[in-house]
């Protein structure tokens, strides 16, 4: 039986090669650590996503030397964010700041492989088709490595740190018994689809009674259109019934847009997410840590998941490079300090129980919370950033 990985011991083993896992691997490998990333799914496989990147995430990709690849992949530059309410439409131009003058929403078939390729170029070992099956530990309870599984067998590796970047139902979080720190009260159900031929210069968010929706231009001359509705709306729905809920919601928020969603312009079928209440988990322990949705998940209605994942990946990478429990505690405290307000306002919006004036006020609050995350990224001092910046050519 051929062992699927190159070494028996690593500084860090990461479960999950999506946004959080690949970004963390990239930064740790650039800092000189021996990193293994495993993911059970095929390389570049699509996944359900709103695709939207906010300013902080675009700034990080720019600093890491990857934004030009996002642009070269044909990802449209979005220079306006428009909020469409029942009584008013408000357009906010994207002002140039810290080298960022536009937002982007790459397909995950674009973004994820770019991050994985960059991690490998930095020296990380990335293996798809391989999953973390169990963790190993010492007598004190500290995690010391992992058992890996593929169709051919089971393999053991040792590691100073195992990171779970394996999604909101994280097996690593379950294996270490990561405590739940906070649970949101609300969740929306979402339906996603793609249509070609729509305007490709802005994010557009709609808010009507018991309904949210968004139009997010992405690659391939297509826009991701999603609707967020109460979870009961999607129970046991399939096929034509799902289609009816989606088009009914679009009709409520923008009849003109609904008229443009002709079948001949649709790229692929509709996909649905039944909704999960947001949560914060303990993000580190003896020999383990969590990143991305494994440690922190919020309702997708506010389209901040990828931006959260990239921010937390760099927070975690910086803590790992510094080393020690104090650095990991700071990772937890900083993540929670940014995440709690984002989660609270997202939870209130996800209730879908607000007046137009109330949701406008919530969006002002959301903007302040998002700016706090961007300020954090901008404020990382030059010496610390140089540890995880793209190496000189």
């Amino acid at each position: 039986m051929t062992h699927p990985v190159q070494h028996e011991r690593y500084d860090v083993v990461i479960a999950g090669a999506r946004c959080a896992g690949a970004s963390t691997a990239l930064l740790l490998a650039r800092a000189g650590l021996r990193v293994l990333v495993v993911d059970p799914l095929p390389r570049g496989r699509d996944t359900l996503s709103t695709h939207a990147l906010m300013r902080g995430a675009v700034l990080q990709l720019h600093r890491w030397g990857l934004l030009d690849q996002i642009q070269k992949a044909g990802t449209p530059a979005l220079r306006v964010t428009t909020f469409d309410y029942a009584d008013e439409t408000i357009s906010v131009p994207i002002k140039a700041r810290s080298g960022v003058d536009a937002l982007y929403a790459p397909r995950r078939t674009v973004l994820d492989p770019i991050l994985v390729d960059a991690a490998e170029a930095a020296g990380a070992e990335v293996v798809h088709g391989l999953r973390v099956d169990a963790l190993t530990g010492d007598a004190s309870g500290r995690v010391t490595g992992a058992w890996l599984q593929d169709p051919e067998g089971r393999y053991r590796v040792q590691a100073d740190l195992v990171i779970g970047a394996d999604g909101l139902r994280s097996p690593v979080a379950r294996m270490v018994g990561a405590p739940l720190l906070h649970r949101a009260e609300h969740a929306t159900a979402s339906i996603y689809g793609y249509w070609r031929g729509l305007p490709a210069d802005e994010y557009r968010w709609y808010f009507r009674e018991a309904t949210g929706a968004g139009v997010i231009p992405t690659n391939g001359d297509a826009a991701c259109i999603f609707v967020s509705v109460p979870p009961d709306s999607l129970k046991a729905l399939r096929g034509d019934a799902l289609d009816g809920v989606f088009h009914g919601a679009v009709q409520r928020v923008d009849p003109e847009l609904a008229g443009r969603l002709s079948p001949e312009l649709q790229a692929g079928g509709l996909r649905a997410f039944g909704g999960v209440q947001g949560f914060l988990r303990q993000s580190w322990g003896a020999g383990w840590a969590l990143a991305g949705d494994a440690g922190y998940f919020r309702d997708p209605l506010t389209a901040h998941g990828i931006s959260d994942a990239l921010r937390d990946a760099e927070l975690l990478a910086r803590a790992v490079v510094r080393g020690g429990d104090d650095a990991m505690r700071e990772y937890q405290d900083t993540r929670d300090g940014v995440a709690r307000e984002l989660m609270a306002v997202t939870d209130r919006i996800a209730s879908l129980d607000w007046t137009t004036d109330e949701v406008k006020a919530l969006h002002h609050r959301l903007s302040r919370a998002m700016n706090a995350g961007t300020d954090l990224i901008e404020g990382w001092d030059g010496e610390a950033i140089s540890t995880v910046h793209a190496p000189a050519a």
Side-chain angles (χ1 to χ4, degrees), residues 7-169:
H7 306 284
E8 294 182 358
R9 181 171 186 82
Y10 294 85
D11 296 312
V12 181
V13 171
I14 301 175
R18 295 291 188 174
C19 292
S23 297
T24 306
L26 162 67
L27 302 178
L28 292 177
R30 285 181 176 176
L33 278 67
R34 178 180 286 181
V35 181
L36 170 67
V37 189
V38 300
D39 195 299
L41 296 177
R43 185 186 189 94
R45 181 168 174 173
D46 201 5
T47 189
L48 201 63
S49 180
T50 60
H51 313 298
L53 303 181
M54 302 305 168
R55 183 185 294 273
V58 177
L59 173 56
Q60 286 179 284
L61 292 171
H62 171 62
R63 286 177 171 173
W64 299 346
L66 304 179
L67 185 58
D68 61 337
Q69 295 184 49
I70 300 294
Q71 296 165 333
K72 289 176 182 176
T75 313
L78 310 175
R79 292 188 164 85
V80 176
T81 296
T82 295
F83 296 86
D84 194 313
Y85 303 104
D87 64 347
E88 185 180 17
T89 299
I90 301 172
S91 292
V92 181
I94 306 302
K95 297 179 180 179
R97 174 178 162 186
S98 298
V100 173
D101 63 359
L103 304 181
Y104 299 86
R107 287 291 297 259
R108 297 297 294 276
T109 51
V110 172
L111 176 62
D112 292 3
I114 286 174
L115 291 169
V116 168
D117 289 348
E120 290 182 321
E125 182 181 348
V126 183
V127 182
H128 288 82
L130 189 64
R131 64 182 174 87
V132 171
D133 182 59
L135 302 179
T136 61
D138 61 19
S140 71
R142 183 179 187 84
V143 173
T144 59
W147 284 98
L148 310 177
Q149 179 83 46
D150 70 9
E152 302 301 320
R154 203 162 179 255
Y155 321 88
R156 183 177 179 178
V157 293
Q158 295 177 298
D160 295 328
L161 180 68
V162 176
I163 295 174
D166 46 352
L168 64 94
R169 296 177 178 86

Side-chain angles (χ1 to χ4, degrees), residues 141-202:
R142 183 179 187 84
V143 173
T144 59
W147 284 98
L148 310 177
Q149 179 83 46
D150 70 9
E152 302 301 320
R154 203 162 179 255
Y155 321 88
R156 183 177 179 178
V157 293
Q158 295 177 298
D160 295 328
L161 180 68
V162 176
I163 295 174
D166 46 352
L168 64 94
R169 296 177 178 86
S170 167
V172 171
R174 173 177 47 79
M175 291 173 194
V176 300
L180 184 68
L181 304 178
H182 177 72
R183 172 77 74 180
E185 296 182 19
H186 305 102
T188 64
S190 303
I191 310 173
Y192 301 79
Y194 296 88
W195 271 265
R196 297 183 299 273
L198 297 174
D201 58 355
E202 67 173 4

